Amino acid sequence: MSSRFNVFNLLREGLRGQTGWQAQWREPELKASYDAVIIGGGGHGLATAYYLAKEHGMRNIAVIEKGWIGGGNSGRNTTIIRSNYLYDASAAIYNHALSLWTTLGRELNYNIMMSHRGVLNLAHDEGEARTLKRRVEANRLNGVDAEWLDAKQVKAFCPPMSIDEGARYPVIGATLQRTGGTNRHDAVVWGFARAASAMGVDIIQQCEVTGIKKKSGKIVGLHTTKGDINTPKIGSVAAGHTSVVANMVGLKLPIESHPLQALVSEPLKPLIPCVVMSNAVHVYVSQSDKGELVIGAGIDPYVSYTQRGSFDIIEHQMASLTELFPMFSRLRMMRQWGGIVDVSPDASPILSRTPIDGFYVNGGWGTGGWKATPASGHAFADLIAKDQPNEIARPFSLERFTTGNLVAEHGAAAVAH
Ligand code: FAD
Ligand code: PYC
């Protein structure tokens, strides 16, 4: 379709009250039974359904979402994408995601606005620099494009940043992953939803899962606010509510739910060419295509299910932002919001079978799951379809909390928790 045609089409639709648009996904009635049900219509849940249908031929499946698709963390996150984690298992899943992101727009025929603009992780003292340099070496061994920049090189890569040596936390260097960047969260969610729906997946919104039925240790169905469903397989992909859903089958998970907030400024001309993250001063920032600065910090330290954060975190992140970028001291903030993130003890996700036959968990992504969305869905679909974890999922099984084979990624999680 030519852009000329699009412009006329747009005008025509505007004049006739948008009667010609086609819905992007079907709004089916809930069926009484499915071969598998995914709880949670965020990016991970929809990606799981998409790959179940596309790669495993499972089309009699449903995604059940208590609100609207993408209304959870998928629609609330700051979309930073990178794969510069310390351990091999993490590099495998986040690299897999990075390579899927690169072609996802074309695959879904949806503009996900993928921008490989580069991600800087700053060091402010020699100890931090040593730890980050070690991570660069580990990254390179795993095929992650990581490099170390000194302060002058950081400044050249991101000119608005202050590298003033007299700052309270001076920037002494940074890691750079050039293939890291950002993309558009809504587009990803809608792209997966449209493609999954076209293959027969039922997406049921405004439908809360309120209970799960099991018999002799096996899943047999679930209760929802729109009726009961019979199914032998349930994938829980409920992010901040992972432990609430697990509780419905009597499963206690090593997960805590915390608020994580973000905010955006008034729009500016293009200024920040990359993503900047600092663990020590505790702020990260990128600039959206609309020109707004997208800013975040750490989790609120207390456990909560409120989708908002506390004011002292905002105050702290503003102080950190203006230390790194003094030119933003008079910038006005436009909006603030929060999400609930599910934090595991080793700051790594859980992609796992459980002691209940037919109940699978995908959660514990904490503050950093957006970047993994396509790989998480890909590996989780494989697990649900085959009842066996593949190479990518295996290190993230629940057993690691009893064997002690943890994937401790607190340093690379980038947002402290
Ligand atoms: P969600 O999108 O939250 O989907 C879960 C869905 O489950 C929700 O829509 C919810 O309504 C539904 N649900 C829950 N319970 C039920 C029920 N009983 N019945 C039916 N439905 C249910 N990650 C990064 O990699 N980079 C970032 O820059 C980044 N920034 C972040 C910034 C903020 C402020 C926040 C909050 C998170 C950030 N994250 C980031 C983390 C990232 O957003 C999440 O890890 C990821 O989006 C989780 O995706 P999901 O699909 O599992 O969860
Ligand atoms: O995991 O890179 C990340 C991240 C950035 C902001 C929130 N999470």
Side-chain angles (χ1 to χ4, degrees):
M1 195 189 295
S2 76
S3 58
R4 204 171 129 76
F5 179 80
N6 270 330
V7 170
F8 286 125
N9 206 11
L10 203 64
L11 272 174
R12 197 167 41 242
E13 284 305 323
L15 290 172
R16 68 180 187 194
Q18 300 184 13
T19 50
W21 297 127
Q22 294 216 326
Q24 297 198 46
W25 51 87
R26 297 168 297 110
E27 285 201 25
E29 291 296 313
L30 188 68
K31 289 194 241 168
S33 105
Y34 288 101
D35 297 336
V37 170
I38 305 301
I39 305 176
H44 290 230
L46 289 161
T48 303
Y50 169 75
Y51 290 115
L52 273 172
K54 178 175 171 246
E55 298 203 351
H56 304 281
M58 289 182 70
R59 305 210 163 175
N60 180 33
I61 58 179
V63 176
I64 308 290
E65 167 54 50
K66 71 175 174 183
W68 63 95
I69 60 168
N73 289 344
S74 295
R76 294 163 187 272
N77 83 95
T78 47
T79 76
I80 296 173
I81 284 163
R82 58 191 174 84
S83 62
N84 55 356
Y85 283 69
L86 183 61
Y87 290 101
D88 300 358
S90 315
I93 193 163
Y94 294 111
N95 264 347
H96 183 39
L98 203 50
S99 85
L100 290 172
W101 281 127
T102 308
T103 51
L104 194 66
R106 237 173 304 141
E107 178 172 337
L108 299 177
N109 187 24
Y110 216 108
N111 183 4
I112 62 164
M113 296 168 74
M114 190 64 229
S115 156
H116 299 277
R117 63 183 67 179
V119 176
L120 287 172
N121 288 94
L122 305 182
H124 300 274
D125 61 43
E126 288 301 336
E128 203 180 12
R130 259 196 306 276
T131 311
L132 284 177
K133 282 178 186 169
R134 174 189 173 218
R135 185 135 62 85
V136 166
E137 300 303 333
N139 286 166
R140 288 186 172 180
L141 289 172
N142 277 320
V144 176
D145 65 304
E147 46 194 290
W148 174 255
L149 304 187
D150 65 23
K152 282 205 179 105
Q153 290 169 316
V154 172
K155 178 84 180 160
F157 194 73
C158 185
M161 192 193 306
S162 164
I163 56 163
D164 180 359
E165 287 175 11
R168 205 159 35 122
Y169 294 98
V171 174
I172 66 165
T175 64
L176 169 63
Q177 184 175 14
R178 290 181 194 270
T179 54
T182 60
N183 59 15
R184 176 76 208 169
H185 45 21
D186 298 332
V188 172
V189 168
W190 298 336
F192 272 129
R194 183 177 71 174
S197 175
M199 288 187 285
V201 174
D202 283 356
I203 297 169
I204 315 283
Q205 301 186 80
Q206 305 292 334
C207 179
E208 181 168 356
V209 173
T210 52
I212 295 178
K213 297 191 277 185
K214 54 179 183 175
K215 209 170 175 185
S216 314
K218 285 190 171 126
I219 290 296
V220 292
L222 37 77
H223 305 290
T224 81
T225 48
K226 290 192 174 174
D228 288 359
I229 306 171
N230 294 321
T231 185
K233 291 189 177 200
I234 294 177
S236 167
V237 200
H241 289 78
T242 301
S243 49
V244 176
V245 171
N247 207 27
M248 293 178 191
V249 282
L251 188 64
K252 235 179 144 30
L253 293 177
I255 278 181
E256 281 186 355
S257 294
H258 289 260
L260 177 69
Q261 57 184 314
L263 44 100
V264 292
S265 73
E266 60 189 330
L268 301 171
K269 293 256 165 65
L271 185 71
I272 301 197
C274 58
V275 178
V276 178
M277 308 185 68
S278 166
N279 245 1
V281 303
H282 237 151
V283 73
Y284 61 87
V285 60
S286 66
Q287 189 168 16
S288 77
D289 291 350
K290 278 189 284 181
E292 299 162 339
L293 297 188
V294 183
I295 305 159
I299 57 170
D300 277 32
Y302 51 83
V303 170
S304 166
Y305 288 101
T306 56
Q307 291 195 113
R308 50 192 246 204
S310 49
F311 195 74
D312 62 307
I313 301 274
I314 299 177
E315 196 182 3
H316 182 79
Q317 81 196 54
M318 288 300 102
S320 307
L321 182 75
T322 48
E323 171 148 343
L324 285 178
F325 298 93
M327 67 169 69
F328 295 149
S329 64
R330 296 173 65 194
L331 192 63
R332 282 168 298 193
M333 296 300 138
M334 303 276 282
R335 300 187 301 282
Q336 174 269 353
W337 66 89
I340 308 298
V341 297
D342 50 347
V343 175
S344 76
D346 60 355
S348 283
I350 297 169
L351 274 169
S352 190
R353 285 190 303 199
T354 68
I356 298 105
D357 241 12
F359 185 71
Y360 306 88
V361 176
N362 179 338
W365 293 95
T367 60
W370 178 254
K371 65 177 77 62
T373 302
S376 157
H378 196 239
F380 199 48
D382 204 64
L383 173 63
I384 293 174
K386 299 182 179 154
D387 197 37
Q388 281 296 330
N390 63 19
E391 285 299 300
I392 285 187
R394 192 166 302 120
F396 301 107
S397 69
L398 270 171
E399 284 86 46
R400 76 181 190 271
F401 298 108
T402 44
T403 60
N405 211 359
L406 301 177
V407 189
E409 288 288 7
H410 298 92
V415 177
H417 51 67

